[in-house]
Amino acid sequence: MGKSRSRMSQVLSPSNRESWPWPPVIQASAVVHVAAVGAGLLVPGAWPWAIGALVLNHAVITAAGLTPRSGLLGPNVTRLPAGAAARREIAITIDDGPDPEVTPKVLDMLGAHRQRATFFCIAERVLEHPALAREIVARGHSIQNHTARHRHNFSLLGPRGFAHEISRAQQVLEEVTGQRPTCFRAPAGLRNPFLAPVLHRMGLSLVSWTRRGFDTREGNAQTVLARLTKGLEAGDILLLHDGHAARTPQGQPVILEVLPELLARLQADGLRAVTLPEGLSA
């Protein structure tokens, strides 16, 4: 059983929701703070060194939060577990929708190739397009939590702000689709140490990706496709966007040019795209 499965089981187990097992880097950070303050108070001339240690400590924590695939701040699923990889499964994840222009065409492409995807949806957009959200689920795909509003300052929030954004999205997504999300993705993948305990209490797994196409700013479909398929293998989690998608020189949302070729590549390689709940339950 792969590490991703183990991490997901830890988060979803009700017995583990009572207390948060702080990761080693956070425990070490607490020790550094206590030691720095103690040294500054008790050792003559130690304050410059103590302050330097604190600055370095905060730089490490900040860097971890700015690295979407980092696991230093808590469990972070970046690949499907070994069982899914053995079955030649991958996960296509599509963020920032639903979008009434783009998402229906994405659904048709996926359906034509008999592949499934996971849509990390913004709750406010689901409220604007509830029928489209229900269609995503009705066609065999999964909708997961991508916050209520996709705030640009999400990574700067504290525990209360995280809880409000995520719980509101949980409520909306469950009410509209009838399914309660089990996975969460932060806007742009950015976060701080307060996020993991909130997800833990809500029974949500943080999911990032194995590879991404940067398709919110790259309008060249071949460049995006190359980023997604270079070294592509079973167990990968891929990231695309139906919302906030960059446009090709012809004005087409880039995902609509990338997805057909990506799906053809999966078929040629004998890979099957599954939803995250399917893949992570392996």
Side-chain angles (χ1 to χ4, degrees), residues 79-80 84-85 88-91 210-211 228-238 265-266 269 271:
R79 290 184 54 80
L80 298 181
R88 304 288 294 166
E89 294 174 353
I90 70 158
T210 311
R211 60 194 75 246
L228 292 172
T229 57
K230 183 178 181 180
L232 180 67
E233 60 183 4
D236 283 357
I237 299 173
L238 308 183
R265 168 69 182 270
L266 299 186
D269 290 352
L271 296 169

Side-chain angles (χ1 to χ4, degrees), residues 13-33:
S13 172
S15 63
N16 283 323
R17 293 185 193 172
E18 298 302 322
S19 60
W20 167 241
W22 290 98
V25 70
I26 302 301
Q27 297 181 37
S29 178
V31 171
V32 168
H33 278 72

